[in-house]
Amino acid sequence: MGWIKKNLFSTPFNSILTVITLFILLKTAPPFIKWAFIESSWFAESEVCKSGSGACWSVITYNLRFIIFGFYPYEEHWRPFTSMIILFILLYFTKNKKYRSKRLLGFWIAGLPIMGILMKGGIFGLTPVNSANWGGLPLTLLLAVFGLAAAYPLGVILALGRISKMPAIKALCIVYIELIRGVPLISLLFMSSIIFPLFLPEGVTISKIIRAQVAIILFTAAYVAEVVRGGLQGMDKGQYEAAASLGLNYYMSMRLIILPQALKIVIPPTVSILISAFKDTSLVVIIALYDILKTSQTVLSNPKWMGFSSEVYIFIAVLYFTGCFSMSNFSRKLEKELDTEKRFNEK
Amino acid sequence: MKNKKDTFPFIEIKALNKWYGDFHVLKDINLSVLQGEIIVICGPSGSGKSTLIRCINRLEEHQKGKITVDGSDLTDNIKNIEKIRAEVGMVFQHFNLFPHLTILDNLTLGPVWVRKISKKEAEENAMFYLEKVKIAEQAKKYPGQLSGGQQQRVAIARSLCMKPNAMLFDEPTSALDPEMVKEVLDVMVQLAEEGMTMIVVTHEMGFAKEVARRVIFMDEGMIIEENNPIDFFENPKHQRTKLFLSQILN
């Protein structure tokens, strides 16, 4: 009772807010719960589903494998599945500070080709699967994980280039960053899928996925660069001077002194960029790649399952939310770990 | 120390001129510092005294004149500059410790990366100098957990770990609370007694009287007066020096 009084009804204004919030919740929550859980059907056939009044989650349970794996050959689904499990395990261990070591890096270096081989096949008796058939969640994760992992270091290098004292490098980085930032990702994706192949010599083709991947990396890197530049410029000049006065060269002082501090300062905005890049991978639908959003839409275009878009989109939203939320969680954890300035409070 | 001690200028500055844009900060500075000498530079703020010592390790670039440190000229050659910086320690007004590293890591970073000695040796070395500045028990802490005086002593130890041949002090006690000034000065006096070549920009006239070989008074970018501490404080020749001393000593 005391808690309610203190937190919800402390002032007349707060009381009004509480009442309004309660009213809205009462109006919306019960119908939603009724629709989503009480009257919903989880495994019923679509005909049965259509006659019911609740949510028809069977649109997902029935089509789960297509939504997740797209046009990947049905009997080979274990391969992308295993790849994803490997990826999740690696991500899990990376998230935990006590496992972060050279050995984990080794596992990443070993894990990436294994995932690639599993997906692509062609050796060790695995049936080759054309990357045009890759789709669904593995594709989304592939674009996101590689996109972010490559865009971040590239962005850092661009930021360093932009504040460099060498005019040529500086100009090059500014032109790059401003050009890319001046163009929407969609147009970059179009360019990579339509214009770029025109410049390739005859007979040379580069997979559409790689081209989309490169476009995402180039795009995200430009944004990361600007955020990192902010961090670099926010650094105390004394840190540069102290590093220099020890005789450290440019590379050492950046790597040991400046970047560790500057990158730490910009963790929150960097993660915002990475999260939005993760969500932007869904734009690859416009160049006809079947990421998880597109495979779900494909399910909805099947007459049997038409009309259940709420269920499907809620499912997709939950998946994206899980991804984005774990990223922001990770960033908060990282910030805490790297926080040396406030540690004296813990004495 | 080297056998050429006291006979050969370790730092030699000839006809040094520096401008910030149109502003003439340093005007025709001539100064030579022998091995083992302790020089105190004082003067009103804006007189160019910090800029002068920052020129010695090239944190500031000079436009005219010549600076020679340990026999090699300061030019644009970046490798040469890095070598001189490793050899000439610098202590800043605001300490400039690396806040993301522990005290011990602050001290071992230079020796490991620049001097290329082993981590273990660098740590033993670091502990030796931390003992010397009487702060060894704080080795595992971060700079943010120490008081200003402790941080400045760590900063001095960080410079010493590079085994420098000379040390530059840029107003090392100006940012400290009064009760912490002494602990830092004590360390500096100890260094002076051990024969370190030191150039100290400071307003601590007690320190100047106690250890300085020469005291230099600067104003408006020029060296106005230069003398041994006894004559400097008792018979200042120049009007501006008298004025400055009367302001700072009262």
Side-chain angles (χ1 to χ4, degrees):
Chain A
M1 256 338 251
W3 182 88
I4 291 177
K5 210 167 183 182
K6 200 175 141 214
N7 289 286
L8 301 177
F9 296 98
S10 52
T11 63
F13 181 66
N14 280 353
S15 308
I16 293 169
L17 278 186
T18 306
V19 170
I20 292 175
T21 316
L22 276 178
F23 179 74
I24 294 172
L25 275 178
L26 270 176
K27 278 284 168 197
T28 55
F32 178 78
I33 291 169
K34 197 169 142 203
W35 174 80
F37 299 107
I38 299 171
E39 291 179 1
S40 64
S41 41
W42 291 78
F43 300 102
E45 283 292 338
S46 66
E47 293 76 26
V48 184
C49 242
K50 273 180 183 153
S51 57
S53 59
C56 176
W57 297 114
S58 43
V59 63
I60 290 152
T61 47
Y62 268 69
N63 298 295
L64 191 60
R65 285 180 71 161
F66 181 77
I67 292 178
I68 302 280
F69 298 111
F71 292 109
Y72 206 89
Y74 192 84
E75 55 290 351
E76 305 285 346
H77 278 179
W78 65 272
R79 283 158 52 182
F81 183 74
T82 319
S83 292
M84 285 198 293
I85 298 293
I86 296 176
L87 181 69
F88 288 138
I89 291 173
L90 285 173
L91 286 175
Y92 175 80
F93 282 109
T94 310
K95 207 170 165 172
N96 206 326
K97 194 185 177 191
K98 66 172 184 258
Y99 296 116
R100 246 175 269 151
S101 61
K102 285 225 169 82
R103 216 164 98 209
L104 184 64
L105 189 72
F107 280 126
W108 270 105
I109 292 168
L112 294 179
I114 293 177
M115 288 186 249
I117 290 167
L118 274 172
M119 291 292 288
K120 198 150 181 55
I123 41 172
F124 305 126
L126 294 168
T127 337
V129 176
N130 190 325
S131 64
N133 290 330
W134 298 8
L137 190 58
L139 179 65
T140 297
L141 289 174
L142 178 93
L143 290 172
V145 171
F146 281 91
L148 306 189
Y152 188 70
L154 182 60
V156 172
I157 291 170
L158 283 168
L160 289 174
R162 187 163 183 171
I163 60 164
S164 154
K165 286 195 184 101
M166 284 176 269
I169 290 178
K170 186 176 175 154
L172 205 69
C173 290
I174 293 178
V175 168
Y176 174 88
I177 291 169
E178 295 307 335
L179 270 184
I180 297 273
R181 286 206 310 169
V183 172
L185 178 58
I186 292 190
S187 66
L188 271 185
L189 288 170
F190 273 133
M191 280 195 267
S192 75
S193 78
I194 298 163
I195 304 175
F196 179 67
L198 298 178
F199 296 105
L200 286 176
E202 208 149 334
V204 178
T205 54
I206 295 177
S207 134
K208 199 145 78 174
I209 292 179
I210 293 182
R211 281 183 270 137
Q213 179 83 80
V214 169
I216 289 172
I217 292 171
L218 295 181
F219 185 80
T220 310
Y223 284 84
V224 171
E226 283 301 273
V227 163
V228 170
R229 181 168 70 100
L232 288 170
Q233 288 178 337
M235 286 287 298
D236 179 16
K237 202 167 145 249
Q239 292 291 309
Y240 288 92
E241 292 181 349
S245 74
L246 284 175
L248 295 175
N249 61 30
Y250 175 83
Y251 168 78
M252 290 173 188
S253 56
M254 281 301 160
R255 160 135 190 241
L256 302 167
I257 309 297
I258 306 299
L259 283 178
Q261 296 183 64
L263 295 182
K264 185 182 92 184
I265 302 171
V266 296
I267 287 176
T270 314
V271 171
S272 289
I273 290 174
L274 297 184
I275 285 178
S276 80
F278 172 55
K279 292 182 293 189
D280 283 350
T281 56
S282 57
L283 288 174
V284 296
V285 296
I286 60 142
I287 55 169
L289 285 176
Y290 277 72
D291 80 324
I292 189 148
L293 194 61
K294 185 68 183 167
T295 53
S296 332
Q297 281 178 331
T298 312
V299 166
L300 289 174
S301 61
N302 177 344
K304 211 172 141 192
W305 297 106
M306 245 177 219
F308 297 117
S309 43
S310 313
E311 289 85 344
V312 171
Y313 287 131
I314 287 175
F315 173 69
I316 298 301
V318 168
L319 278 187
Y320 272 108
F321 178 78
T322 313
C324 295
F325 189 66
S326 1
M327 280 159 82
S328 74
N329 246 339
F330 177 58
S331 88
R332 246 174 300 153
K333 238 185 87 189
L334 206 59
E335 267 180 273
K336 244 194 215 148
E337 274 172 31
L338 297 175
D339 182 17
T340 56
E341 255 120 299
K342 287 190 195 118
R343 276 189 197 171
F344 59 93
N345 292 334
E346 293 169 15
K347 255 191 268 190
Chain B
M1 293 284 155
K2 294 173 185 166
N3 48 14
K4 53 192 172 188
K5 184 174 177 175
D6 269 14
T7 56
F8 190 84
F10 182 72
I11 296 167
E12 181 137 54
I13 299 171
K14 277 185 189 151
L16 177 72
N17 278 280
K18 175 171 175 62
W19 288 264
Y20 284 128
D22 285 337
F23 181 57
H24 201 171
V25 236
L26 294 176
K27 300 169 187 161
D28 277 322
I29 304 284
N30 288 293
L31 176 68
S32 58
V33 182
L34 303 177
Q35 189 95 57
E37 244 188 335
I38 290 136
I39 292 183
V40 166
I41 303 177
C42 59
S45 72
S47 59
K49 53 198 191 307
S50 285
T51 311
L52 174 61
I53 67 164
R54 288 161 59 86
C55 279
I56 295 173
N57 66 354
R58 240 318 144 118
L59 288 181
E60 303 280 354
E61 231 171 275
H62 60 274
Q63 279 85 30
K64 261 172 79 183
K66 193 167 149 182
I67 302 177
T68 312
V69 179
D70 200 13
S72 68
D73 277 355
L74 265 185
T75 57
D76 286 332
N77 181 340
I78 185 77
K79 284 280 157 242
N80 193 29
I81 293 172
E82 279 159 13
K83 208 179 123 255
I84 287 172
R85 283 174 179 166
E87 211 174 309
V88 178
M90 175 121 187
V91 175
F92 299 88
Q93 184 178 357
H94 296 286
F95 335 131
N96 295 349
L97 294 177
F98 306 129
H100 62 301
L101 299 175
T102 62
I103 300 305
L104 192 62
D105 288 339
N106 264 276
L107 267 63
T108 55
L109 188 118
V112 168
W113 287 84
V114 179
R115 296 268 187 249
K116 314 278 182 205
I117 68 172
S118 74
K119 179 100 183 155
K120 189 168 162 285
E121 195 187 339
E123 277 176 6
E124 284 165 7
N125 200 13
M127 289 315 292
F128 171 79
Y129 285 110
L130 282 178
E131 298 278 355
K132 191 170 172 128
V133 300
K134 302 185 180 66
I135 208 161
E137 70 284 358
Q138 314 278 15
K140 294 288 175 202
K141 288 193 181 169
Y142 286 88
Q145 297 165 276
L146 304 190
S147 72
Q150 291 173 320
Q151 289 195 47
Q152 193 61 299
R153 282 185 281 150
V154 171
I156 294 172
R158 178 174 69 179
S159 282
L160 290 174
C161 281
M162 293 294 288
K163 310 231 157 97
N165 288 324
M167 298 261 290
L168 308 171
F169 292 83
D170 187 3
E171 307 205 27
T173 55
S174 308
L176 296 177
D177 291 337
E179 75 271 19
M180 294 173 179
V181 169
K182 191 176 176 299
E183 64 187 57
V184 172
L185 288 179
D186 284 348
V187 170
M188 289 167 63
V189 168
Q190 192 192 347
L191 270 180
E193 283 162 357
E194 288 167 11
M196 176 63 79
T197 312
M198 293 162 70
I199 302 182
V200 185
V201 170
T202 184
H203 291 156
E204 293 296 328
M205 291 304 131
F207 174 80
K209 281 177 190 164
E210 192 177 343
V211 298
R213 172 92 56 99
R214 273 186 287 158
V215 183
I216 288 171
F217 175 69
M218 280 181 75
D219 195 11
E220 292 177 352
M222 287 177 287
I223 294 183
I224 304 288
E225 191 160 347
E226 181 179 346
N227 215 332
N228 65 62
I230 297 167
D231 290 334
F232 182 87
F233 289 109
E234 281 169 15
N235 310 304
K237 294 187 190 72
H238 213 283
Q239 204 52 44
R240 270 188 280 179
T241 321
K242 283 180 197 162
L243 184 66
F244 176 76
L245 285 176
S246 73
Q247 281 164 344
I248 205 157
L249 294 175
N250 300 319

